Amino acid sequence: MTRLLLLLAVLVAGVWWLRVLRPGWYWLAVAGPWAAVKVSSRYASVMDACGLTVDPSRVRLAWARLARRPVPPPRVPRLVGLRLTRTGLVLRIRLRPGQDAFDFSSAADRMRHAFGMQQVTSREVRAGLVEVRMTGYDVLRRVRMPRLDPGPGLRLPMALCEDGSPWWRDYRQVPHALNLGATQSGKSVYQRRLITLLAPRPDVALVGIDCKQGVELSPLARRFSALVDNADDALALLEALISRMEETYRLIRREQRISADTPDAEITADIWGLPDPVRPTAVVVVIDEVAELSLFSTKEEEKRRDAIVTALVRLAQLGRAAGIYLEICGQRFGADLGKGITMLRAQLGGRVIHRLNDEGSAKMALGDMAPDAVLSTVQISADRPGTAVALNARGGWSLVRTPHTSLRDAVTTCNAHAHLAPRLPELERFRPTTGGVSLIKSGPRPVSPAA
């Protein structure tokens, strides 16, 4: 009897350890199979309670009247697949005539309560087939990124979605992005992870503009090919990037050589179709506190501000094919920053919005692409830094959380890959020194009028 009690105590302790410290293992071993049985047994009643059934067809009603049988019940959409995953369950449901995927999206919260799951999302796989993903536990409480192969191109696993799938930052698909967040919202952690993932890539040059006197980016300066810490140098750097962009376009034009016998695979309009020996290095421009570039108090500063915004808009409109990508970060982003900001926003297809203090910035960032996500940004809890609303490749949005990357981890990674920082002739005078300070020490330079 004593040995049986001891064995039972060990079993209970093991289950508790799995649930608290290894929720993924607990889900696969205990909670997941039980949830699969519960969903299978309650599927029809839950579909009926959530309003996801359809009335019987006229043929069935007529046959019931002729045979003097009871009226047939509503028809339930057919469950064609149920799969257990590391974070939850995946259901494949065949729709009945008259149903559409929006019915399941609008009933997602009702299904979450009915099945007792953490999160429920749905998407249309093809006409007549819907995939419902159910998350069994809070995967964002302790973010554990799965081992992933980024594959070719500039594709980075940046965060974890609330349904347990990774959220990717794909520069080839979405070249420019806006990263907003209030103080202590996790915006800087997202920025550090981005730089940490780009640092080991020899085919990428990092360029930084940090108007907080370089306190955010200067510790990582060894991996940067160019770094400036004030608005005057930022304008000079952006003008140098525009010159590089124009030279890259001339190179692409020379290498096209389009003729009747040129294979289709060798015709290109961007750097990624060029041969490796002549392909320019891709450039990722990280701008910290974009609002500092838009503020002015004198006429001269206003001219400088207009020139900076114009240069940013030009890079955002034309930089993709030249391999120049913008990652714009800030605490505040609104039309009150001046003319040109709305035009710049239109080019920033990627949006990662952390907790914000004002609804105006949320509307500016998401109102044009995901208006239903605006309220979610101001409801993010302050005790979960790194949580954000991110637009996905399918045109919707997801709640994601970035795994914690400390400043020490980011510095160590950048220092270990400092030898991979490309030397770009156009930006050589902006290359940071060992201390992470801009190489140019001159005073304020004359500003050119806005284009």
Side-chain angles (χ1 to χ4, degrees), residues 298-310:
T298 64
K299 284 292 184 181
E300 289 299 318
E301 290 181 355
E302 184 180 6
K303 292 180 180 179
R304 181 192 65 196
R305 179 258 173 215
D306 292 343
I308 288 174
V309 173
T310 301

mmCIF file with all atom_site columns, all heavy atoms in Angstrom, residues 298-310:
data_model
loop_
_atom_site.group_PDB
_atom_site.id
_atom_site.type_symbol
_atom_site.label_atom_id
_atom_site.label_alt_id
_atom_site.label_comp_id
_atom_site.label_asym_id
_atom_site.label_entity_id
_atom_site.label_seq_id
_atom_site.pdbx_PDB_ins_code
_atom_site.Cartn_x
_atom_site.Cartn_y
_atom_site.Cartn_z
_atom_site.occupancy
_atom_site.B_iso_or_equiv
_atom_site.pdbx_formal_charge
_atom_site.auth_seq_id
_atom_site.auth_comp_id
_atom_site.auth_asym_id
_atom_site.auth_atom_id
_atom_site.pdbx_PDB_model_num
ATOM 1   N N   . THR A 1 298 ? 13.090 75.476 -35.650 1.00 0.00 ? 298 THR A N   1
ATOM 2   C CA  . THR A 1 298 ? 13.529 76.624 -36.441 1.00 0.00 ? 298 THR A CA  1
ATOM 3   C C   . THR A 1 298 ? 13.280 76.337 -37.915 1.00 0.00 ? 298 THR A C   1
ATOM 4   O O   . THR A 1 298 ? 12.985 75.208 -38.317 1.00 0.00 ? 298 THR A O   1
ATOM 5   C CB  . THR A 1 298 ? 15.016 76.918 -36.215 1.00 0.00 ? 298 THR A CB  1
ATOM 6   O OG1 . THR A 1 298 ? 15.790 75.803 -36.692 1.00 0.00 ? 298 THR A OG1 1
ATOM 7   C CG2 . THR A 1 298 ? 15.320 77.137 -34.729 1.00 0.00 ? 298 THR A CG2 1
ATOM 8   N N   . LYS A 1 299 ? 13.432 77.366 -38.727 1.00 0.00 ? 299 LYS A N   1
ATOM 9   C CA  . LYS A 1 299 ? 13.247 77.215 -40.160 1.00 0.00 ? 299 LYS A CA  1
ATOM 10  C C   . LYS A 1 299 ? 14.272 76.263 -40.757 1.00 0.00 ? 299 LYS A C   1
ATOM 11  O O   . LYS A 1 299 ? 13.964 75.455 -41.646 1.00 0.00 ? 299 LYS A O   1
ATOM 12  C CB  . LYS A 1 299 ? 13.341 78.588 -40.842 1.00 0.00 ? 299 LYS A CB  1
ATOM 13  C CG  . LYS A 1 299 ? 12.097 79.459 -40.678 1.00 0.00 ? 299 LYS A CG  1
ATOM 14  C CD  . LYS A 1 299 ? 10.913 78.863 -41.458 1.00 0.00 ? 299 LYS A CD  1
ATOM 15  C CE  . LYS A 1 299 ? 9.700  79.786 -41.386 1.00 0.00 ? 299 LYS A CE  1
ATOM 16  N NZ  . LYS A 1 299 ? 8.549  79.211 -42.123 1.00 0.00 ? 299 LYS A NZ  1
ATOM 17  N N   . GLU A 1 300 ? 15.518 76.359 -40.292 1.00 0.00 ? 300 GLU A N   1
ATOM 18  C CA  . GLU A 1 300 ? 16.549 75.474 -40.816 1.00 0.00 ? 300 GLU A CA  1
ATOM 19  C C   . GLU A 1 300 ? 16.250 74.015 -40.459 1.00 0.00 ? 300 GLU A C   1
ATOM 20  O O   . GLU A 1 300 ? 16.430 73.107 -41.272 1.00 0.00 ? 300 GLU A O   1
ATOM 21  C CB  . GLU A 1 300 ? 17.918 75.888 -40.259 1.00 0.00 ? 300 GLU A CB  1
ATOM 22  C CG  . GLU A 1 300 ? 18.448 77.192 -40.824 1.00 0.00 ? 300 GLU A CG  1
ATOM 23  C CD  . GLU A 1 300 ? 18.628 77.111 -42.335 1.00 0.00 ? 300 GLU A CD  1
ATOM 24  O OE1 . GLU A 1 300 ? 19.123 76.077 -42.819 1.00 0.00 ? 300 GLU A OE1 1
ATOM 25  O OE2 . GLU A 1 300 ? 18.253 78.073 -43.026 1.00 0.00 ? 300 GLU A OE2 1
ATOM 26  N N   . GLU A 1 301 ? 15.793 73.805 -39.228 1.00 0.00 ? 301 GLU A N   1
ATOM 27  C CA  . GLU A 1 301 ? 15.446 72.439 -38.832 1.00 0.00 ? 301 GLU A CA  1
ATOM 28  C C   . GLU A 1 301 ? 14.236 71.935 -39.606 1.00 0.00 ? 301 GLU A C   1
ATOM 29  O O   . GLU A 1 301 ? 14.141 70.725 -39.899 1.00 0.00 ? 301 GLU A O   1
ATOM 30  C CB  . GLU A 1 301 ? 15.169 72.388 -37.330 1.00 0.00 ? 301 GLU A CB  1
ATOM 31  C CG  . GLU A 1 301 ? 16.416 72.576 -36.479 1.00 0.00 ? 301 GLU A CG  1
ATOM 32  C CD  . GLU A 1 301 ? 16.109 72.491 -35.000 1.00 0.00 ? 301 GLU A CD  1
ATOM 33  O OE1 . GLU A 1 301 ? 14.911 72.382 -34.658 1.00 0.00 ? 301 GLU A OE1 1
ATOM 34  O OE2 . GLU A 1 301 ? 17.054 72.537 -34.190 1.00 0.00 ? 301 GLU A OE2 1
ATOM 35  N N   . GLU A 1 302 ? 13.315 72.833 -39.968 1.00 0.00 ? 302 GLU A N   1
ATOM 36  C CA  . GLU A 1 302 ? 12.169 72.417 -40.769 1.00 0.00 ? 302 GLU A CA  1
ATOM 37  C C   . GLU A 1 302 ? 12.609 71.969 -42.166 1.00 0.00 ? 302 GLU A C   1
ATOM 38  O O   . GLU A 1 302 ? 12.095 70.977 -42.703 1.00 0.00 ? 302 GLU A O   1
ATOM 39  C CB  . GLU A 1 302 ? 11.152 73.552 -40.874 1.00 0.00 ? 302 GLU A CB  1
ATOM 40  C CG  . GLU A 1 302 ? 9.891  73.155 -41.623 1.00 0.00 ? 302 GLU A CG  1
ATOM 41  C CD  . GLU A 1 302 ? 8.890  74.295 -41.723 1.00 0.00 ? 302 GLU A CD  1
ATOM 42  O OE1 . GLU A 1 302 ? 9.231  75.417 -41.318 1.00 0.00 ? 302 GLU A OE1 1
ATOM 43  O OE2 . GLU A 1 302 ? 7.763  74.039 -42.215 1.00 0.00 ? 302 GLU A OE2 1
ATOM 44  N N   . LYS A 1 303 ? 13.580 72.689 -42.749 1.00 0.00 ? 303 LYS A N   1
ATOM 45  C CA  . LYS A 1 303 ? 14.100 72.272 -44.050 1.00 0.00 ? 303 LYS A CA  1
ATOM 46  C C   . LYS A 1 303 ? 14.781 70.909 -43.948 1.00 0.00 ? 303 LYS A C   1
ATOM 47  O O   . LYS A 1 303 ? 14.622 70.059 -44.829 1.00 0.00 ? 303 LYS A O   1
ATOM 48  C CB  . LYS A 1 303 ? 15.086 73.315 -44.570 1.00 0.00 ? 303 LYS A CB  1
ATOM 49  C CG  . LYS A 1 303 ? 14.457 74.647 -44.940 1.00 0.00 ? 303 LYS A CG  1
ATOM 50  C CD  . LYS A 1 303 ? 15.512 75.613 -45.453 1.00 0.00 ? 303 LYS A CD  1
ATOM 51  C CE  . LYS A 1 303 ? 14.893 76.955 -45.826 1.00 0.00 ? 303 LYS A CE  1
ATOM 52  N NZ  . LYS A 1 303 ? 15.921 77.918 -46.311 1.00 0.00 ? 303 LYS A NZ  1
ATOM 53  N N   . ARG A 1 304 ? 15.532 70.730 -42.876 1.00 0.00 ? 304 ARG A N   1
ATOM 54  C CA  . ARG A 1 304 ? 16.188 69.440 -42.679 1.00 0.00 ? 304 ARG A CA  1
ATOM 55  C C   . ARG A 1 304 ? 15.158 68.336 -42.498 1.00 0.00 ? 304 ARG A C   1
ATOM 56  O O   . ARG A 1 304 ? 15.285 67.243 -43.059 1.00 0.00 ? 304 ARG A O   1
ATOM 57  C CB  . ARG A 1 304 ? 17.094 69.509 -41.452 1.00 0.00 ? 304 ARG A CB  1
ATOM 58  C CG  . ARG A 1 304 ? 17.850 68.214 -41.157 1.00 0.00 ? 304 ARG A CG  1
ATOM 59  C CD  . ARG A 1 304 ? 18.492 68.264 -39.792 1.00 0.00 ? 304 ARG A CD  1
ATOM 60  N NE  . ARG A 1 304 ? 17.478 68.338 -38.745 1.00 0.00 ? 304 ARG A NE  1
ATOM 61  C CZ  . ARG A 1 304 ? 17.732 68.701 -37.484 1.00 0.00 ? 304 ARG A CZ  1
ATOM 62  N NH1 . ARG A 1 304 ? 18.956 69.052 -37.140 1.00 0.00 ? 304 ARG A NH1 1
ATOM 63  N NH2 . ARG A 1 304 ? 16.763 68.723 -36.598 1.00 0.00 ? 304 ARG A NH2 1
ATOM 64  N N   . ARG A 1 305 ? 14.126 68.610 -41.724 1.00 0.00 ? 305 ARG A N   1
ATOM 65  C CA  . ARG A 1 305 ? 13.065 67.616 -41.510 1.00 0.00 ? 305 ARG A CA  1
ATOM 66  C C   . ARG A 1 305 ? 12.388 67.230 -42.819 1.00 0.00 ? 305 ARG A C   1
ATOM 67  O O   . ARG A 1 305 ? 12.150 66.044 -43.090 1.00 0.00 ? 305 ARG A O   1
ATOM 68  C CB  . ARG A 1 305 ? 12.065 68.189 -40.510 1.00 0.00 ? 305 ARG A CB  1
ATOM 69  C CG  . ARG A 1 305 ? 10.883 67.269 -40.217 1.00 0.00 ? 305 ARG A CG  1
ATOM 70  C CD  . ARG A 1 305 ? 9.657  67.728 -40.976 1.00 0.00 ? 305 ARG A CD  1
ATOM 71  N NE  . ARG A 1 305 ? 8.568  66.763 -40.819 1.00 0.00 ? 305 ARG A NE  1
ATOM 72  C CZ  . ARG A 1 305 ? 7.701  66.472 -41.752 1.00 0.00 ? 305 ARG A CZ  1
ATOM 73  N NH1 . ARG A 1 305 ? 7.754  67.075 -42.927 1.00 0.00 ? 305 ARG A NH1 1
ATOM 74  N NH2 . ARG A 1 305 ? 6.761  65.582 -41.543 1.00 0.00 ? 305 ARG A NH2 1
ATOM 75  N N   . ASP A 1 306 ? 12.053 68.232 -43.660 1.00 0.00 ? 306 ASP A N   1
ATOM 76  C CA  . ASP A 1 306 ? 11.414 67.927 -44.940 1.00 0.00 ? 306 ASP A CA  1
ATOM 77  C C   . ASP A 1 306 ? 12.323 67.095 -45.833 1.00 0.00 ? 306 ASP A C   1
ATOM 78  O O   . ASP A 1 306 ? 11.870 66.174 -46.525 1.00 0.00 ? 306 ASP A O   1
ATOM 79  C CB  . ASP A 1 306 ? 11.022 69.225 -45.649 1.00 0.00 ? 306 ASP A CB  1
ATOM 80  C CG  . ASP A 1 306 ? 9.903  69.970 -44.942 1.00 0.00 ? 306 ASP A CG  1
ATOM 81  O OD1 . ASP A 1 306 ? 9.217  69.337 -44.111 1.00 0.00 ? 306 ASP A OD1 1
ATOM 82  O OD2 . ASP A 1 306 ? 9.715  71.170 -45.210 1.00 0.00 ? 306 ASP A OD2 1
ATOM 83  N N   . ALA A 1 307 ? 13.619 67.409 -45.813 1.00 0.00 ? 307 ALA A N   1
ATOM 84  C CA  . ALA A 1 307 ? 14.562 66.643 -46.629 1.00 0.00 ? 307 ALA A CA  1
ATOM 85  C C   . ALA A 1 307 ? 14.680 65.203 -46.134 1.00 0.00 ? 307 ALA A C   1
ATOM 86  O O   . ALA A 1 307 ? 14.768 64.261 -46.935 1.00 0.00 ? 307 ALA A O   1
ATOM 87  C CB  . ALA A 1 307 ? 15.930 67.319 -46.621 1.00 0.00 ? 307 ALA A CB  1
ATOM 88  N N   . ILE A 1 308 ? 14.657 64.997 -44.814 1.00 0.00 ? 308 ILE A N   1
ATOM 89  C CA  . ILE A 1 308 ? 14.746 63.640 -44.257 1.00 0.00 ? 308 ILE A CA  1
ATOM 90  C C   . ILE A 1 308 ? 13.525 62.825 -44.633 1.00 0.00 ? 308 ILE A C   1
ATOM 91  O O   . ILE A 1 308 ? 13.628 61.666 -45.080 1.00 0.00 ? 308 ILE A O   1
ATOM 92  C CB  . ILE A 1 308 ? 14.917 63.708 -42.726 1.00 0.00 ? 308 ILE A CB  1
ATOM 93  C CG1 . ILE A 1 308 ? 16.324 64.200 -42.360 1.00 0.00 ? 308 ILE A CG1 1
ATOM 94  C CG2 . ILE A 1 308 ? 14.673 62.340 -42.092 1.00 0.00 ? 308 ILE A CG2 1
ATOM 95  C CD1 . ILE A 1 308 ? 16.531 64.422 -40.883 1.00 0.00 ? 308 ILE A CD1 1
ATOM 96  N N   . VAL A 1 309 ? 12.333 63.398 -44.446 1.00 0.00 ? 309 VAL A N   1
ATOM 97  C CA  . VAL A 1 309 ? 11.105 62.663 -44.763 1.00 0.00 ? 309 VAL A CA  1
ATOM 98  C C   . VAL A 1 309 ? 11.040 62.354 -46.256 1.00 0.00 ? 309 VAL A C   1
ATOM 99  O O   . VAL A 1 309 ? 10.643 61.248 -46.664 1.00 0.00 ? 309 VAL A O   1
ATOM 100 C CB  . VAL A 1 309 ? 9.876  63.461 -44.298 1.00 0.00 ? 309 VAL A CB  1
ATOM 101 C CG1 . VAL A 1 309 ? 8.590  62.792 -44.767 1.00 0.00 ? 309 VAL A CG1 1
ATOM 102 C CG2 . VAL A 1 309 ? 9.873  63.582 -42.784 1.00 0.00 ? 309 VAL A CG2 1
ATOM 103 N N   . THR A 1 310 ? 11.454 63.318 -47.095 1.00 0.00 ? 310 THR A N   1
ATOM 104 C CA  . THR A 1 310 ? 11.458 63.068 -48.533 1.00 0.00 ? 310 THR A CA  1
ATOM 105 C C   . THR A 1 310 ? 12.399 61.931 -48.887 1.00 0.00 ? 310 THR A C   1
ATOM 106 O O   . THR A 1 310 ? 12.067 61.063 -49.714 1.00 0.00 ? 310 THR A O   1
ATOM 107 C CB  . THR A 1 310 ? 11.870 64.344 -49.288 1.00 0.00 ? 310 THR A CB  1
ATOM 108 O OG1 . THR A 1 310 ? 10.950 65.400 -48.985 1.00 0.00 ? 310 THR A OG1 1
ATOM 109 C CG2 . THR A 1 310 ? 11.893 64.105 -50.784 1.00 0.00 ? 310 THR A CG2 1
#
